[in-house]
Amino acid sequence: MTDESKVSSGHCLCGAVRYEVAGPLTDVHACHCGQCRRQSGHFVVAASARRADFTLNENGALKWFRSSDVAERGFCSECGSALFWRDGGDEISINAGSLDQPTGLKLESHIFVADKADYYEIDDDLPKHQGFAG
Ligand SMILES: [Zn+2]
Ligand SMILES: [Zn+2]
């Protein structure tokens, strides 16, 4: 479980994009879809935050790439770090690798498992979904 009062922070590899989350991070999932794979080089572990809790402290280098009809992916245009995913909803998905340690998070599920690459196996007992969870 996540602590309601926790403030999380994170940044891209070069530090040109920095953010804070003044609330809980939830739904920690590994996404095995082809888009995450292409953008990150592997699968992506991400957590969700309420947009109202999310603050960009440094964002001059943040760029948004429209990756589908419904979603955009945020990345640092200086160092290329893949950072965020958002659609029209009131949450933002944050790539967990960009969070400052310790995150206190635990992986909870796998999504888009049918699209995973062929060079690894998903060999834990966490819930596995063909598409989005739920
Ligand atoms: Zn950067
Ligand atoms: Zn994905």
Side-chain angles (χ1 to χ4, degrees), residues 24-51:
L25 289 163
T26 60
D27 180 29
V28 187
H29 61 265
C31 183
H32 300 269
C33 80
Q35 292 187 359
C36 285
R37 181 166 67 249
R38 296 253 179 224
Q39 193 197 21
S40 73
H42 198 21
F43 65 83
V44 164
V45 176
S48 297
R50 290 186 296 248
R51 284 204 201 191

Side-chain angles (χ1 to χ4, degrees), residues 49-102:
R50 290 186 296 248
R51 284 204 201 191
D53 294 335
F54 178 80
T55 305
L56 279 165
N57 297 327
E58 302 274 352
N59 65 354
L62 181 63
K63 290 266 193 305
W64 289 95
F65 170 68
R66 179 157 285 281
S67 53
S68 74
D69 289 346
V70 294
E72 297 180 302
R73 291 168 181 265
F75 66 99
C76 175
S77 60
E78 293 290 332
C79 68
S81 296
L83 297 166
F84 311 122
W85 181 98
R86 70 182 180 189
D87 61 11
D90 57 5
E91 293 196 325
I92 183 168
S93 183
I94 299 172
N95 288 12
S98 69
L99 289 161
D100 295 329
Q101 295 285 307

